[in-house]
Coordinates of all heavy atoms in Angstrom, one line a residue:
I12 N 94.1 97.9 106.9 CA 94.3 99.4 107.0 C 94.7 99.6 108.4 O 95.6 100.4 108.7 CB 92.9 100.1 106.7 CG1 92.6 99.9 105.3 CG2 93.2 101.6 107.1 CD1 91.3 100.5 104.9
S13 N 94.1 99.0 109.4 CA 94.4 99.3 110.8 C 95.8 99.0 111.1 O 96.6 99.7 111.8 CB 93.6 98.5 111.8 OG 93.6 97.2 111.7
R14 N 96.4 97.9 110.6 CA 97.8 97.6 110.8 C 98.7 98.6 110.2 O 99.7 98.9 110.8 CB 98.1 96.1 110.1 CG 97.9 95.0 111.0 CD 98.4 93.7 110.5 NE 97.3 92.7 110.5 CZ 97.0 92.0 109.6 NH1 97.5 91.9 108.5 NH2 96.0 91.1 109.8
S15 N 98.4 99.1 109.1 CA 99.3 100.1 108.4 C 99.3 101.3 109.2 O 100.3 102.2 109.0 CB 98.9 100.3 106.9 OG 97.6 100.8 106.9
V16 N 98.3 101.8 110.0 CA 98.3 102.9 110.8 C 98.5 102.5 112.2 O 98.3 103.5 113.1 CB 96.9 103.7 110.6 CG1 96.9 104.3 109.2 CG2 95.9 103.0 111.1
H17 N 98.9 101.4 112.6 CA 99.3 100.9 113.9 C 98.2 101.0 114.9 O 98.5 101.7 116.0 CB 100.6 101.6 114.2 CG 101.7 101.4 113.2 ND1 102.3 100.2 113.1 CD2 102.2 102.3 112.5 CE1 103.2 100.4 112.1 NE2 103.2 101.6 111.6
C18 N 97.0 100.6 114.5 CA 96.0 100.6 115.6 C 95.0 99.4 115.4 O 95.2 98.6 114.4 CB 95.2 101.9 115.5 SG 94.1 102.0 114.1
S19 N 94.2 99.1 116.3 CA 93.3 98.1 116.2 C 92.2 98.3 115.2 O 91.8 99.5 115.0 CB 92.7 97.6 117.5 OG 91.8 98.6 117.9
A20 N 91.5 97.2 114.7 CA 90.5 97.4 113.8 C 89.4 98.1 114.4 O 88.6 98.9 113.8 CB 90.0 96.1 113.2
F21 N 89.1 97.8 115.7 CA 88.0 98.5 116.4 C 88.3 99.9 116.6 O 87.3 100.8 116.4 CB 87.9 97.7 117.8 CG 86.8 98.4 118.7 CD1 85.5 98.1 118.5 CD2 87.2 99.2 119.8 CE1 84.5 98.8 119.2 CE2 86.2 99.8 120.6 CZ 84.8 99.5 120.3
H22 N 89.5 100.2 116.9 CA 89.8 101.6 117.2 C 89.7 102.4 115.8 O 89.1 103.5 115.7 CB 91.2 101.8 117.6 CG 91.6 103.2 118.0 ND1 91.0 103.9 118.9 CD2 92.5 104.1 117.5 CE1 91.5 105.2 119.0 NE2 92.5 105.3 118.1
L23 N 90.1 101.9 114.7 CA 90.1 102.5 113.4 C 88.6 102.8 113.0 O 88.2 103.7 112.6 CB 90.7 101.6 112.3 CG 90.6 102.1 110.9 CD1 91.3 103.4 110.7 CD2 91.0 101.0 109.9
A24 N 87.8 101.7 113.3 CA 86.3 101.8 113.0 C 85.7 102.9 113.8 O 84.8 103.8 113.3 CB 85.5 100.6 113.3
R25 N 86.0 103.0 115.1 CA 85.5 104.2 115.9 C 85.9 105.6 115.4 O 85.1 106.5 115.4 CB 86.0 104.0 117.3 CG 85.1 103.2 118.2 CD 85.3 103.3 119.7 NE 86.5 104.1 120.1 CZ 87.6 103.6 120.7 NH1 87.5 102.4 121.3 NH2 88.6 104.3 121.1
I26 N 87.3 105.7 115.1 CA 87.8 107.0 114.6 C 87.2 107.3 113.3 O 86.8 108.5 113.1 CB 89.3 106.8 114.5 CG1 90.0 106.6 115.9 CG2 89.9 108.1 113.9 CD1 89.7 107.7 116.9
F27 N 87.1 106.3 112.4 CA 86.5 106.6 111.1 C 85.0 107.1 111.2 O 84.6 108.0 110.6 CB 86.6 105.3 110.3 CG 86.1 105.5 108.8 CD1 87.0 105.9 107.8 CD2 84.8 105.4 108.4 CE1 86.7 106.1 106.5 CE2 84.4 105.7 107.1 CZ 85.3 106.0 106.2
Q28 N 84.3 106.5 112.0 CA 82.9 106.9 112.2 C 82.8 108.2 112.8 O 82.0 109.0 112.4 CB 82.1 105.8 113.1 CG 80.6 106.2 113.1 CD 79.7 105.1 113.5 OE1 80.2 104.0 113.7 NE2 78.4 105.4 113.7
R29 N 83.7 108.6 113.8 CA 83.7 109.9 114.4 C 84.0 110.9 113.4 O 83.4 112.0 113.4 CB 84.7 109.9 115.6 CG 84.6 111.1 116.5 CD 85.5 111.2 117.5 NE 85.7 110.0 118.3 CZ 86.9 109.6 118.8 NH1 88.0 110.4 118.8 NH2 86.9 108.4 119.4
Q30 N 84.9 110.7 112.6 CA 85.4 111.6 111.6 C 84.3 111.8 110.3 O 84.2 112.9 109.9 CB 86.8 111.3 110.9 CG 87.7 111.4 112.0 CD 88.0 112.8 112.7 OE1 88.0 113.8 111.9 NE2 88.1 112.9 113.9
T31 N 83.8 110.7 109.9 CA 82.9 110.8 108.7 C 81.5 110.7 109.0 O 80.6 111.1 108.1 CB 83.3 109.6 107.8 OG1 82.9 108.4 108.4 CG2 84.8 109.6 107.4
G32 N 81.1 110.3 110.2 CA 79.7 110.1 110.5 C 79.1 108.8 109.9 O 77.9 108.6 110.1
L33 N 80.0 108.0 109.4 CA 79.4 106.7 108.8 C 80.4 105.6 109.3 O 81.6 105.7 109.4 CB 79.6 106.7 107.3 CG 78.8 107.6 106.4 CD1 79.1 107.6 104.9 CD2 77.4 107.1 106.5
P34 N 79.7 104.4 109.6 CA 80.5 103.4 109.9 C 81.4 102.8 108.7 O 80.9 103.1 107.5 CB 79.5 102.2 110.2 CG 78.3 102.9 110.4 CD 78.3 104.2 109.6
L35 N 82.5 102.3 108.9 CA 83.4 102.0 107.8 C 82.8 101.0 106.8 O 83.0 101.2 105.6 CB 84.6 101.3 108.4 CG 85.9 101.1 107.5 CD1 86.3 102.3 106.8 CD2 87.1 100.5 108.3
H36 N 82.0 100.0 107.3 CA 81.3 99.1 106.4 C 80.4 99.8 105.4 O 80.3 99.5 104.2 CB 80.6 98.1 107.1 CG 80.0 97.1 106.2 ND1 78.6 97.1 106.0 CD2 80.4 95.9 105.7 CE1 78.3 96.2 105.2 NE2 79.4 95.4 105.0
R37 N 79.6 100.8 105.9 CA 78.6 101.6 105.2 C 79.3 102.4 104.2 O 78.9 102.5 103.0 CB 77.8 102.4 106.1 CG 76.7 103.3 105.4 CD 75.4 102.8 105.6 NE 74.4 103.4 104.7 CZ 73.5 104.3 105.2 NH1 73.4 104.5 106.4 NH2 72.7 104.7 104.4
Y38 N 80.5 103.1 104.5 CA 81.2 103.8 103.6 C 81.8 102.9 102.4 O 81.6 103.3 101.3 CB 82.4 104.5 104.3 CG 83.3 105.4 103.4 CD1 82.9 106.6 103.0 CD2 84.4 104.7 102.9 CE1 83.7 107.4 102.2 CE2 85.2 105.5 102.1 CZ 84.9 106.8 101.7 OH 85.6 107.6 100.9
A39 N 82.3 101.8 102.7 CA 82.8 100.9 101.7 C 81.6 100.4 100.8 O 81.8 100.3 99.6 CB 83.4 99.7 102.3
N40 N 80.5 100.2 101.3 CA 79.3 99.8 100.6 C 78.8 100.8 99.6 O 78.6 100.6 98.5 CB 78.1 99.3 101.6 CG 77.4 98.4 101.1 OD1 77.9 97.3 100.3 ND2 76.1 98.1 101.5
R41 N 79.0 102.1 100.1 CA 78.5 103.2 99.2 C 79.5 103.4 98.1 O 79.1 103.7 97.0 CB 78.5 104.6 100.0 CG 77.2 104.7 100.9 CD 77.2 106.0 101.6 NE 75.8 106.1 102.1 CZ 75.3 107.3 102.6 NH1 76.2 108.5 102.6 NH2 74.1 107.4 103.0
L42 N 80.8 103.2 98.3 CA 81.8 103.2 97.3 C 81.4 102.1 96.3 O 81.5 102.3 95.0 CB 83.2 103.0 97.9 CG 83.8 104.1 98.6 CD1 85.1 103.7 99.1 CD2 83.9 105.4 97.8
R43 N 81.1 101.0 96.6 CA 80.8 99.9 95.7 C 79.4 100.2 95.0 O 79.4 100.0 93.7 CB 80.6 98.5 96.5 CG 81.8 98.0 97.0 CD 81.8 96.6 97.6 NE 80.7 96.5 98.6 CZ 80.2 95.4 99.0 NH1 80.7 94.2 98.5 NH2 79.4 95.4 100.1
L44 N 78.5 100.9 95.7 CA 77.2 101.3 95.0 C 77.5 102.3 94.0 O 76.8 102.4 92.9 CB 76.2 101.6 96.0 CG 75.6 100.4 96.8 CD1 74.8 101.0 98.0 CD2 74.9 99.5 95.9
R45 N 78.4 103.3 94.4 CA 78.7 104.4 93.4 C 79.4 103.8 92.1 O 79.1 104.1 91.0 CB 79.7 105.2 94.0 CG 80.0 106.6 93.0 CD 80.9 107.5 93.7 NE 80.2 108.1 94.8 CZ 80.7 108.6 95.9 NH1 82.1 108.5 96.0 NH2 80.0 109.1 96.9
A46 N 80.2 102.7 92.3 CA 80.9 102.1 91.1 C 79.7 101.3 90.4 O 79.8 101.3 89.2 CB 81.8 101.0 91.6
A47 N 78.8 100.8 91.0 CA 77.6 100.1 90.4 C 76.8 101.1 89.5 O 76.6 100.8 88.3 CB 76.7 99.4 91.3
L48 N 76.7 102.3 89.9 CA 75.9 103.3 89.3 C 76.7 103.7 87.9 O 76.1 103.9 87.0 CB 75.8 104.6 90.1 CG 74.5 104.8 90.9 CD1 74.6 106.0 91.7 CD2 73.3 104.6 90.1
E49 N 77.9 103.8 88.1 CA 78.8 104.2 86.9 C 78.8 103.1 85.9 O 78.8 103.4 84.7 CB 80.2 104.5 87.4 CG 80.4 105.8 88.2 CD 81.7 105.9 88.8 OE1 82.5 105.0 88.7 OE2 82.0 106.8 89.6
R50 N 78.6 101.8 86.2 CA 78.7 100.8 85.4 C 77.3 100.2 85.0 O 77.2 99.4 84.0 CB 79.5 99.6 85.9 CG 81.0 100.1 86.0 CD 81.9 99.1 86.9 NE 81.8 97.8 86.3 CZ 82.4 96.7 86.9 NH1 83.0 96.9 88.0 NH2 82.2 95.5 86.4
L51 N 76.2 100.7 85.6 CA 74.9 100.1 85.4 C 74.5 100.3 83.9 O 73.8 99.3 83.5 CB 73.8 100.9 86.4 CG 72.6 100.2 86.5 CD1 72.8 98.8 87.1 CD2 71.7 101.1 87.5
G52 N 74.7 101.4 83.4 CA 74.3 101.6 81.9 C 75.0 100.7 81.0 O 74.4 100.4 79.9
E53 N 76.1 100.3 81.3 CA 76.9 99.5 80.3 C 77.0 98.0 80.7 O 77.3 97.2 79.7 CB 78.4 100.0 80.3 CG 79.1 99.9 81.5 CD 80.4 100.6 81.7 OE1 80.4 101.8 81.1 OE2 81.4 100.1 82.2
S54 N 76.5 97.6 81.8 CA 76.5 96.3 82.1 C 75.2 95.6 81.7 O 74.2 95.9 82.0 CB 76.7 96.1 83.6 OG 76.7 94.8 84.0
R55 N 75.4 94.3 81.0 CA 74.2 93.6 80.7 C 73.8 92.7 81.8 O 72.6 92.4 81.9 CB 74.5 92.8 79.4 CG 74.8 93.7 78.2 CD 75.1 92.9 77.0 NE 75.6 93.6 75.9 CZ 74.8 94.0 74.9 NH1 73.6 93.6 74.7 NH2 75.3 94.7 73.9
D56 N 74.7 92.1 82.5 CA 74.5 91.1 83.6 C 74.6 91.7 84.8 O 75.8 91.9 85.3 CB 75.3 89.8 83.2 CG 75.0 88.8 84.1 OD1 73.9 88.7 84.7 OD2 75.9 87.9 84.4
L57 N 73.5 91.7 85.6 CA 73.6 92.3 87.0 C 74.3 91.4 88.0 O 75.0 91.9 88.9 CB 72.2 92.8 87.5 CG 71.5 93.9 86.8 CD1 70.2 94.1 87.3 CD2 72.4 95.1 86.8
T58 N 74.1 90.1 87.7 CA 74.9 89.1 88.7 C 76.4 89.3 88.5 O 77.0 89.4 89.5 CB 74.5 87.8 88.3 OG1 73.1 87.6 88.5 CG2 75.2 86.7 89.1
T59 N 76.9 89.3 87.3 CA 78.3 89.6 87.1 C 78.7 90.9 87.6 O 79.8 91.0 88.3 CB 78.7 89.5 85.6 OG1 78.2 88.3 85.1 CG2 80.1 89.8 85.3
L60 N 78.0 92.0 87.4 CA 78.3 93.3 88.0 C 78.3 93.2 89.6 O 79.3 93.6 90.2 CB 77.3 94.3 87.6 CG 77.5 95.7 88.2 CD1 78.7 96.3 87.8 CD2 76.2 96.6 87.9
A61 N 77.4 92.5 90.2 CA 77.3 92.4 91.7 C 78.6 91.7 92.2 O 79.2 92.1 93.1 CB 76.2 91.6 92.0
L62 N 79.0 90.5 91.5 CA 80.1 89.8 91.9 C 81.4 90.6 91.7 O 82.2 90.6 92.6 CB 80.2 88.5 91.3 CG 78.9 87.5 91.5 CD1 78.9 86.2 90.7 CD2 78.9 87.1 93.0
D63 N 81.5 91.3 90.6 CA 82.6 92.1 90.3 C 83.0 93.1 91.4 O 84.0 93.5 91.6 CB 82.6 92.7 89.0 CG 82.8 91.8 87.7 OD1 83.2 90.7 88.0 OD2 82.5 92.3 86.6
L64 N 81.8 93.7 92.0 CA 81.9 94.7 92.9 C 82.0 94.2 94.3 O 82.1 95.0 95.3 CB 80.7 95.7 92.7 CG 80.8 96.4 91.4 CD1 79.4 97.1 91.3 CD2 81.9 97.4 91.4
G65 N 82.1 92.8 94.5 CA 82.3 92.3 95.8 C 81.1 92.0 96.6 O 81.1 91.6 97.8
F66 N 79.8 92.1 95.9 CA 78.6 91.6 96.6 C 78.6 90.0 96.6 O 79.1 89.5 95.5 CB 77.4 92.2 96.0 CG 77.3 93.6 96.3 CD1 77.8 94.5 95.4 CD2 76.8 94.2 97.5 CE1 77.8 95.9 95.6 CE2 76.7 95.5 97.7 CZ 77.2 96.3 96.8
S67 N 78.0 89.3 97.6 CA 78.0 87.9 97.6 C 77.2 87.3 96.6 O 77.3 86.1 96.2 CB 77.8 87.5 98.9 OG 76.4 87.9 99.4
S68 N 76.1 88.1 96.2 CA 75.2 87.5 95.2 C 74.3 88.6 94.6 O 74.4 89.7 94.9 CB 74.2 86.5 96.0 OG 73.3 87.3 96.8
H69 N 73.6 88.3 93.5 CA 72.7 89.2 92.9 C 71.7 89.8 93.9 O 71.4 91.0 93.9 CB 72.0 88.5 91.8 CG 71.0 89.4 91.0 ND1 69.8 89.7 91.5 CD2 71.2 90.1 89.9 CE1 69.1 90.4 90.6 NE2 69.9 90.6 89.6
S70 N 71.2 88.9 94.8 CA 70.2 89.4 95.8 C 70.8 90.3 96.8 O 70.2 91.3 97.2 CB 69.4 88.3 96.4 OG 70.3 87.4 97.1
H71 N 72.0 90.1 97.2 CA 72.7 91.0 98.2 C 72.9 92.3 97.6 O 72.6 93.3 98.2 CB 74.1 90.3 98.6 CG 74.9 91.1 99.4 ND1 76.2 91.1 99.3 CD2 74.6 91.9 100.5 CE1 76.7 91.9 100.3 NE2 75.8 92.4 101.0
F72 N 73.3 92.4 96.3 CA 73.4 93.5 95.6 C 72.1 94.3 95.5 O 72.1 95.6 95.8 CB 74.1 93.3 94.2 CG 74.1 94.4 93.2 CD1 74.8 95.6 93.6 CD2 73.4 94.4 91.9 CE1 74.8 96.7 92.6 CE2 73.4 95.4 91.1 CZ 74.2 96.6 91.4
T73 N 71.2 93.7 95.0 CA 69.8 94.2 94.8 C 69.2 94.8 96.1 O 68.8 96.0 96.1 CB 68.7 93.2 94.1 OG1 69.4 92.9 92.9 CG2 67.4 93.8 94.0
T74 N 69.4 94.1 97.3 CA 69.0 94.6 98.5 C 69.7 95.9 98.9 O 69.0 96.9 99.3 CB 69.1 93.6 99.6 OG1 68.4 92.4 99.3 CG2 68.7 94.0 101.0
A75 N 71.1 95.9 98.8 CA 71.9 97.0 99.2 C 71.5 98.3 98.2 O 71.3 99.5 98.7 CB 73.3 96.8 99.1
F76 N 71.3 98.0 97.0 CA 71.0 99.1 96.0 C 69.6 99.6 96.3 O 69.4 100.8 96.4 CB 71.0 98.4 94.6 CG 71.1 99.4 93.5 CD1 72.3 99.8 92.9 CD2 69.9 100.1 93.0 CE1 72.3 100.7 91.8 CE2 70.1 100.9 91.9 CZ 71.2 101.3 91.4
R77 N 68.7 98.7 96.6 CA 67.2 99.2 96.9 C 67.2 100.1 98.2 O 66.5 101.1 98.2 CB 66.3 97.9 97.0 CG 64.9 98.5 97.1 CD 64.0 97.3 97.2 NE 63.6 96.9 95.8 CZ 63.9 95.6 95.5 NH1 64.2 94.7 96.4 NH2 63.6 95.1 94.3
L78 N 68.0 99.6 99.2 CA 68.0 100.3 100.5 C 68.6 101.7 100.2 O 68.1 102.7 100.9 CB 68.8 99.6 101.5 CG 68.2 98.4 102.1 CD1 69.1 97.6 103.0 CD2 67.0 98.9 102.9
E79 N 69.6 101.8 99.3 CA 70.3 103.1 99.2 C 69.5 104.1 98.2 O 69.5 105.3 98.5 CB 71.7 102.8 98.6 CG 72.6 104.0 98.8 CD 73.0 104.2 100.2 OE1 73.4 103.3 101.0 OE2 72.9 105.4 100.7
F80 N 69.1 103.5 97.2 CA 68.3 104.3 96.1 C 66.8 104.3 96.1 O 66.2 104.9 95.3 CB 68.9 104.0 94.8 CG 70.4 104.2 94.7 CD1 71.3 103.1 94.5 CD2 71.0 105.5 94.9 CE1 72.6 103.3 94.5 CE2 72.4 105.6 94.8 CZ 73.1 104.5 94.5
G81 N 66.2 103.3 96.6 CA 64.7 103.1 96.8 C 64.2 102.4 95.6 O 62.9 102.3 95.5
E82 N 65.0 101.8 94.8 CA 64.5 100.9 93.7 C 65.6 99.9 93.3 O 66.7 100.1 93.6 CB 64.0 101.7 92.5 CG 65.1 102.5 91.7 CD 64.5 103.3 90.6 OE1 64.1 102.7 89.6 OE2 64.4 104.5 90.7
A83 N 65.1 98.9 92.7 CA 66.0 97.8 92.3 C 67.0 98.3 91.2 O 66.6 99.1 90.3 CB 65.2 96.6 91.8
P84 N 68.2 97.7 91.0 CA 69.0 98.1 89.9 C 68.5 97.8 88.5 O 68.7 98.6 87.6 CB 70.3 97.3 90.0 CG 70.0 96.4 91.1 CD 68.8 96.8 91.8
A85 N 67.7 96.7 88.3 CA 67.1 96.5 87.0 C 66.1 97.5 86.7 O 66.0 98.0 85.5 CB 66.4 95.0 87.0
A86 N 65.3 98.0 87.6 CA 64.3 99.1 87.3 C 65.0 100.3 87.0 O 64.6 101.1 86.1 CB 63.4 99.3 88.6
M87 N 66.1 100.6 87.7 CA 66.8 101.9 87.4 C 67.5 101.9 86.0 O 67.6 102.7 85.3 CB 67.9 102.2 88.5 CG 68.5 103.5 88.3 SD 69.6 104.0 89.6 CE 68.5 104.4 90.8
R88 N 68.0 100.6 85.7 CA 68.7 100.5 84.4 C 67.7 100.7 83.2 O 68.1 101.3 82.2 CB 69.3 99.1 84.3 CG 70.2 99.0 83.0 CD 70.9 97.6 83.1 NE 70.1 96.5 83.2 CZ 70.5 95.3 83.3 NH1 71.7 95.0 83.2 NH2 69.8 94.3 83.3
R89 N 66.5 100.4 83.4 CA 65.5 100.6 82.3 C 65.3 102.1 82.1 O 65.1 102.6 80.9 CB 64.2 100.0 82.7 CG 64.0 98.6 82.5 CD 62.7 98.0 82.7 NE 62.2 98.2 84.0 CZ 62.2 97.3 85.0 NH1 62.9 96.2 84.7 NH2 61.8 97.5 86.1
D90 N 65.4 102.9 83.1 CA 65.1 104.4 83.0 C 66.5 105.1 83.1 O 66.5 106.3 83.4 CB 64.3 104.9 84.1 CG 62.9 104.1 84.2 OD1 62.5 103.7 83.0 OD2 62.3 104.0 85.2
F91 N 67.6 104.4 82.7 CA 68.9 105.1 82.9 C 69.2 106.2 82.0 O 69.1 106.0 80.8 CB 70.0 103.9 82.8 CG 71.2 104.3 83.5 CD1 71.4 104.3 84.9 CD2 72.3 104.7 82.9 CE1 72.6 104.5 85.5 CE2 73.6 105.0 83.4 CZ 73.7 105.0 84.8
T92 N 69.6 107.4 82.6 CA 70.2 108.4 81.8 C 71.3 109.0 82.7 O 71.5 108.9 83.8 CB 69.1 109.6 81.6 OG1 68.8 110.1 83.0 CG2 67.9 109.1 80.9
S93 N 72.2 109.7 82.0 CA 73.3 110.3 82.7 C 72.9 111.3 83.7 O 73.5 111.5 84.8 CB 74.4 110.9 81.7 OG 73.8 112.0 81.0
A94 N 71.8 112.1 83.5 CA 71.3 113.0 84.5 C 70.7 112.2 85.7 O 71.0 112.6 86.9 CB 70.1 113.8 83.9
R95 N 70.2 111.1 85.5 CA 69.7 110.2 86.6 C 70.8 109.8 87.4 O 70.8 109.6 88.6 CB 68.8 109.2 86.0 CG 68.2 108.3 87.1 CD 66.8 108.6 87.4 NE 66.4 107.9 88.5 CZ 65.6 106.8 88.5 NH1 65.2 106.2 87.4 NH2 65.3 106.3 89.6
Q96 N 71.9 109.3 86.6 CA 73.1 108.8 87.3 C 73.7 109.8 88.3 O 74.0 109.6 89.4 CB 74.1 108.4 86.2 CG 75.4 107.8 86.9 CD 76.4 107.6 85.8 OE1 76.4 107.9 84.7 NE2 77.5 106.9 86.3
R97 N 73.8 111.0 87.8 CA 74.4 112.2 88.7 C 73.4 112.4 89.8 O 73.9 112.6 91.0 CB 74.4 113.4 87.8 CG 75.6 113.4 86.9 CD 75.9 114.9 86.3 NE 74.8 115.4 85.6 CZ 74.5 115.1 84.3 NH1 75.3 114.3 83.6 NH2 73.4 115.6 83.7
E98 N 72.2 112.3 89.7 CA 71.2 112.5 90.8 C 71.4 111.4 91.7 O 71.4 111.7 93.0 CB 69.7 112.4 90.2 CG 68.6 112.5 91.2 CD 67.3 112.2 90.6 OE1 67.2 112.7 89.4 OE2 66.4 111.7 91.3
M99 N 71.5 110.2 91.4 CA 71.7 109.1 92.4 C 73.1 109.2 93.0 O 73.2 108.9 94.3 CB 71.6 107.7 91.7 CG 70.2 107.5 91.2 SD 69.0 107.4 92.5 CE 68.0 108.8 92.3
S100 N 74.1 109.7 92.4 CA 75.4 109.8 93.0 C 75.3 110.8 94.2 O 76.0 110.7 95.1 CB 76.5 110.3 92.0 OG 76.8 109.2 91.1
K101 N 74.6 111.9 94.0 CA 74.4 112.9 95.0 C 73.9 112.3 96.2 O 74.3 112.7 97.3 CB 73.5 114.0 94.5 CG 74.1 114.9 93.5 CD 73.2 116.0 93.1 CE 73.8 116.8 91.9 NZ 72.8 117.7 91.5
I102 N 73.0 111.2 96.2 CA 72.5 110.6 97.4 C 73.6 110.0 98.2 O 73.7 110.1 99.3 CB 71.5 109.6 97.0 CG1 70.2 110.2 96.4 CG2 71.1 108.6 98.1 CD1 69.2 109.3 95.8
L103 N 74.6 109.4 97.4 CA 75.7 108.7 98.1 C 76.6 109.7 98.8 O 77.3 109.4 99.8 CB 76.5 107.9 97.1 CG 75.8 106.6 96.5 CD1 76.7 105.9 95.4 CD2 75.5 105.6 97.5
K104 N 76.8 111.0 98.2 CA 77.6 111.9 98.9 C 77.1 112.5 100.1 O 77.7 113.0 100.9 CB 78.0 112.9 97.8 CG 78.9 112.4 96.7 CD 79.1 113.5 95.7 CE 79.9 112.8 94.5 NZ 80.1 113.7 93.4
A105 N 75.7 112.4 100.2 CA 75.1 113.2 101.3 C 75.3 112.3 102.6 O 75.6 111.3 102.7 CB 73.5 113.2 101.0

């Protein structure tokens, strides 16, 4: 991205954080977690879901998910409803 806008990666990261209030890595992680929420109800295998979304492992995915939402993806999937999905998506937008 930085090459396409003709600046260094460091400068892009600084500008991005100044404009959004989030580090670039955290923003990208939130996008992946939002995609996980959308697919959580239909996905049978959390490891495959984690790898499809670019997490290095099931445990990496579970840790990131738990930090963002306060519970593991398997626990959330058990109680999954579309209303709950919308509620969790709001957390990512905040």
Side-chain angles (χ1 to χ4, degrees):
I12 296 172
S13 61
R14 273 189 227 133
S15 65
V16 295
H17 308 290
C18 70
S19 71
F21 178 75
H22 184 65
L23 175 65
R25 272 196 349 238
I26 297 297
F27 188 88
Q28 185 163 355
R29 190 179 319 148
Q30 294 297 315
T31 65
L33 290 172
L35 191 54
H36 182 266
R37 178 106 189 248
Y38 179 80
N40 220 25
R41 283 185 168 192
L42 290 178
R43 293 189 300 165
L44 291 170
R45 184 177 297 151
L48 273 178
E49 292 170 1
R50 296 171 52 185
L51 194 60
E53 64 195 40
S54 180
R55 294 181 192 257
D56 182 24
L57 291 178
T58 300
T59 302
L60 177 62
L62 296 175
D63 285 350
L64 294 172
F66 291 94
S67 61
S68 65
H69 181 278
S70 62
H71 178 216
F72 170 59
T73 299
T74 299
F76 198 94
R77 185 178 284 126
L78 285 172
E79 202 67 50
F80 300 117
E82 64 183 286
M87 186 174 287
R88 185 170 58 181
R89 280 192 295 273
D90 304 328
F91 199 76
T92 64
S93 58
R95 180 102 194 258
Q96 179 186 12
R97 284 190 302 275
E98 176 186 327
M99 293 297 111
S100 283
K101 288 179 186 175
I102 290 172
L103 291 175
K104 292 177 185 173

